[in-house]
Amino acid sequence: MAFRKVWCALALGFLLPFSCAHTDFFTSIGHMTDLINTEKDLVVSLKDYIKAEESKLEQIKKWAEKLDQLTATATKDPEGFLGHPVNAFKLMKRLNTEWGELESLVLKDMSDGFISNMTIQRQFFPNDEDQTGAAKALLRLQDTYNLDTDTLSRGNLPGVKHKSFLTAEDCFELGKIAYTEADYYHTELWMEQALKQLDEGEVSSADKVYILDYLSYAVYQQGDLAKATALTRRLLELDPEHQRANGNMKYFEYIMAKEKEANKSSTDSEEQEKETEVKKKDYLPERRKYEMLCRGEGLKMTPRRQKRLFCRYYDGNRNPRYILGPVKQEDEWDKPRIVRFLDIISDEEIETVKELAKPRLSRATVHDPETGKLTTAHYRVSKSAWLSGYESPVVSRINTRIQDLTGLDVSTAEELQVANYGVGGQYEPHFDFGRKDEPDAFKELGTGNRIATWLFYMSDVSAGGATVFPEVGASVWPRKGTAVFWYNLFPSGEGDYSTRHAACPVLVGNKWVSNKWLHERGQEFRRPCTLSELE
Ligand code: OGA
Ligand code: FE2
């Protein structure tokens, strides 16, 4: 079964449920809570070490004080002092044994316990890649949710329970990570923020000269020579001997002089530049739509259409299991039709599903079309696991519920996929179905294309994390205990392109979903095909 799923994912270029050696902490809160506990244990161990070190110092101090008094008396009248035979004996004993014991005490290493704890735990610590991943997630959130750098740095986010802010050094670190990604736009924002916080008097080990060095380069890379020059001048005021800055200064002046010259002779290049700028603005319109929908802006539905969205009690077309206890159903959208079921999975069921999935969660990977290797991708940042109906009555009960309420056969469906998105976790716009030019998609599964998607929300999300449909302008917000359902294919079997959708990055909190992809086989009489292609 696992093999089949890997293969169909390969063919699709979709996620691959492979587990990697490293766990990529930043992609899921599930794994990060383990780190919080590890850190708590380490603090306990560190405190034990401090106590041991303090009691050692206390003993040494007592000895020193005792000897201080003794030697003071002895040196005042050495002969008289040694005239007492006990004193003579004790001097021998002290020098022969006690000082040696003290030496051993001074040399005694109290850090063993703490260090061995550290060594064990360090194996599970995040690495550079995790740190970079977490930083990139912050930058992604900043873009998607239009957050200005200062707001983010002061931690003024909607819905946060535990306020937290960034130091000048943290901002510098973020800027450096953006810089190594050649992302000069964010380099500038974060270096400027670091500088601002230092200018406001924040005490920090971050160095203005270093910050200005990065900042001026990022500004130069974005084409603002005048600003780059001003920043370099500021750097040189702090460090007149700075070699690179002196070199850059000369270079900037040379370029600016050359540009002035060129401007005089022609305006062609300017026009060209404008043209590319216009192109840049038109570029990736989907991305902008996606981000707007994530922010909850720009819903396109007219009031007339909105009035035709209803809520109702639904009995699964007189399904015996639901006639006496129908479920609440709401229309989320009309075209494509997206419905939401309320109170459709209980808190206990959610806990069971999460517990079953947790040990198996692994970073979703994709197939790099160029190298042919498995790799992680920024467009799918989450952790997921697959659960079979055979392993738990709860999973099996959930599968039956989906079958009863959709009227579709679940025996041809994929297993239940559980996904956890940490802060910054997202899945950029995609289709769940295999397109015409991917004829091998799901071939191994042998049950046809993904006819429909059922998506359970297993948590609320404090901010962000909507499921959005950029083609039609729909934002569906996670609500714990609910599920949404839509058809990916028309009854003709043709893919419905209006179902293109995405999971917005989580801004604050943590998002758990599980989904069931229902396939075409088995639905021939449940949802007969039509002759018209796009209905
Ligand atoms: C998916 C998907 C949406 C979401 O996993 O294919 O589209 O909101 N998920 O998690
Ligand atoms: Fe999807």
Side-chain angles (χ1 to χ4, degrees):
M1 200 63 185
F3 167 73
R4 291 199 335 205
K5 217 161 294 115
V6 168
W7 178 238
C8 82
L10 251 170
L12 252 191
F14 270 2
L15 106 143
L16 282 166
F18 260 42
S19 65
C20 358
H22 197 265
T23 45
D24 283 319
F25 292 106
F26 69 93
T27 54
S28 125
I29 274 211
H31 283 114
M32 291 209 292
T33 49
D34 293 346
L35 290 181
I36 296 266
N37 289 326
T38 303
E39 216 175 28
K40 186 173 162 237
D41 293 346
L42 278 178
V43 172
V44 170
S45 161
L46 180 64
K47 279 185 157 171
D48 287 347
Y49 160 68
I50 293 172
K51 252 192 225 142
E53 202 76 82
E54 273 172 351
S55 103
K56 170 178 149 180
L57 260 183
E58 205 49 47
Q59 283 182 57
I60 297 172
K61 243 201 271 172
K62 269 194 197 136
W63 169 262
E65 274 158 21
K66 192 175 111 190
L67 268 283
D68 196 27
Q69 277 179 11
L70 205 70
T71 51
T73 327
T75 48
K76 257 187 226 150
D77 174 18
E79 278 186 27
F81 182 80
L82 287 173
H84 196 307
V86 169
N87 280 343
F89 163 69
K90 285 185 104 169
L91 179 64
M92 296 304 111
K93 180 171 169 252
R94 267 203 311 280
L95 287 173
N96 186 42
T97 333
E98 292 178 14
W99 273 105
E101 281 166 8
L102 179 81
E103 186 188 23
S104 313
L105 179 62
V106 170
L107 281 174
K108 192 168 171 196
D109 190 354
M110 314 305 281
S111 64
D112 278 5
F114 172 66
I115 294 298
S116 60
N117 258 338
M118 258 313 265
T119 312
I120 294 167
Q121 299 294 359
R122 185 173 282 131
Q123 309 173 66
F124 311 111
F125 275 14
N127 57 20
D128 284 354
E129 206 182 302
D130 292 303
Q131 192 177 331
T132 309
K136 285 200 248 171
L138 261 181
L139 302 182
R140 201 161 47 231
L141 288 174
Q142 177 175 24
D143 288 345
T144 308
Y145 295 105
N146 265 347
L147 303 169
D148 73 68
T149 316
D150 203 59
T151 306
L152 202 49
S153 180
R154 316 279 175 201
N156 292 327
L157 298 179
V160 287
K161 261 197 267 168
H162 305 279
K163 216 174 144 183
S164 178
F165 58 88
L166 295 168
T167 62
E169 207 175 322
D170 294 336
C171 297
F172 181 45
E173 185 63 34
L174 280 173
K176 272 197 291 190
I177 285 170
Y179 175 84
T180 51
E181 298 286 308
D183 170 359
Y184 301 116
Y185 168 72
H186 285 110
T187 311
E188 179 181 353
L189 289 180
W190 287 99
M191 290 299 171
E192 223 151 40
Q193 182 66 23
L195 205 56
K196 181 176 161 196
Q197 291 185 201
L198 291 182
D199 286 344
E200 284 168 2
E202 185 178 317
V203 182
S204 168
S205 62
D207 186 331
K208 280 189 193 177
V209 170
Y210 279 96
I211 296 174
L212 282 163
D213 196 9
Y214 279 100
L215 181 55
S216 60
Y217 184 75
V219 167
Y220 157 71
Q221 276 291 342
Q222 293 176 93
D224 192 344
L225 268 177
K227 189 172 171 189
T229 311
L231 288 163
T232 309
R233 197 167 294 127
R234 198 177 154 191
L235 193 167
L236 285 169
E237 276 164 23
L238 294 170
D239 181 3
E241 305 299 319
H242 198 285
Q243 289 187 357
R244 188 173 29 246
N246 276 308
N248 285 346
M249 199 65 185
K250 285 205 191 88
Y251 175 63
F252 292 162
E253 278 160 3
Y254 160 77
I255 303 245
M256 277 199 288
K258 214 168 97 178
E259 269 184 5
K260 241 187 212 162
E261 196 68 22
N263 273 356
K264 262 189 240 154
S265 57
S266 141
T267 52
D268 279 7
S269 63
E270 230 171 80
E271 266 163 33
Q272 240 172 23
E273 239 169 61
K274 261 188 207 150
E275 216 169 87
T276 47
E277 214 155 87
V278 169
K279 263 191 206 143
K280 236 190 230 164
K281 276 194 186 135
D282 285 345
Y283 187 54
L284 287 184
E286 181 178 57
R287 163 129 228 119
R288 246 179 291 130
K289 258 192 254 169
Y290 162 51
E291 294 184 344
M292 272 177 70
L293 292 170
C294 289
R295 296 194 292 269
E297 294 166 10
L299 285 178
K300 271 200 240 139
M301 191 175 276
T302 58
R304 204 183 139 87
R305 272 169 72 193
Q306 211 147 15
K307 262 199 229 152
R308 290 197 206 124
L309 300 180
F310 294 102
C311 61
R312 63 190 71 78
Y313 279 102
Y314 184 68
D315 65 6
N317 265 339
R318 303 193 60 73
N319 184 299
R321 269 193 278 264
Y322 291 92
I323 288 180
L324 287 180
V327 294
K328 285 176 256 176
Q329 191 193 50
E330 289 175 357
D331 296 330
E332 280 280 344
W333 205 260
D334 51 359
K335 224 170 174 235
R337 183 157 192 249
I338 305 168
V339 292
R340 189 197 293 261
F341 294 91
L342 279 70
D343 300 322
I344 206 64
I345 180 165
S346 70
D347 287 356
E348 292 76 42
E349 287 170 332
I350 288 175
E351 279 319 303
T352 307
V353 169
K354 276 161 66 172
E355 288 313 313
L356 286 169
K358 268 182 196 169
R360 274 186 252 169
L361 286 179
S362 61
R363 171 80 191 258
T365 53
V366 294
H367 208 237
D368 185 330
E370 269 170 33
T371 64
K373 285 191 180 139
L374 284 180
T375 170
T376 56
H378 68 277
Y379 61 81
R380 177 151 214 194
V381 184
S382 67
K383 290 198 165 167
S384 53
W386 299 87
L387 300 182
S388 151
Y390 297 115
E391 60 191 296
S392 156
V394 172
V395 177
S396 157
R397 197 191 324 148
I398 287 171
N399 291 342
T400 309
R401 189 170 309 152
I402 296 172
Q403 171 159 301
D404 287 342
L405 292 171
T406 61
L408 297 175
D409 188 345
V410 285
S411 68
T412 56
E414 288 164 67
E415 288 176 351
L416 189 72
Q417 185 190 230
V418 182
N420 177 218
Y421 303 79
V423 166
Q426 63 163 353
Y427 193 178
E428 287 186 10
H430 63 278
F431 299 108
D432 280 353
F433 60 86
R435 258 98 23 91
K436 276 230 172 88
D437 44 3
E438 308 164 310
D440 292 342
F442 313 117
K443 198 170 161 190
E444 277 297 312
L445 213 57
T447 55
N449 211 341
R450 284 175 174 163
I451 192 172
T453 300
W454 176 287
L455 177 70
F456 283 113
Y457 292 109
M458 305 204 299
S459 69
D460 291 311
V461 183
S462 303
T467 309
V468 300
F469 295 70
E471 289 295 312
V472 297
S475 302
V476 178
W477 296 91
R479 270 149 61 189
K480 189 178 182 189
T482 70
V484 288
F485 173 78
W486 68 86
Y487 278 103
N488 294 305
L489 306 180
F490 291 113
S492 61
E494 282 299 308
D496 180 351
Y497 284 75
S498 71
T499 61
R500 190 166 171 84
H501 61 281
C504 295
V506 172
L507 177 57
V508 179
N510 163 33
K511 175 180 171 186
W512 284 91
V513 295
S514 61
N515 55 306
K516 193 88 183 156
W517 282 303
L518 297 133
H519 281 242
E520 292 178 292
R521 288 298 86 76
Q523 326 304 352
E524 292 81 357
F525 297 103
R526 295 168 180 257
R527 192 198 193 214
C529 71
T530 55
L531 293 176
S532 149
E533 211 177 350
L534 299 179
E535 269 171 27

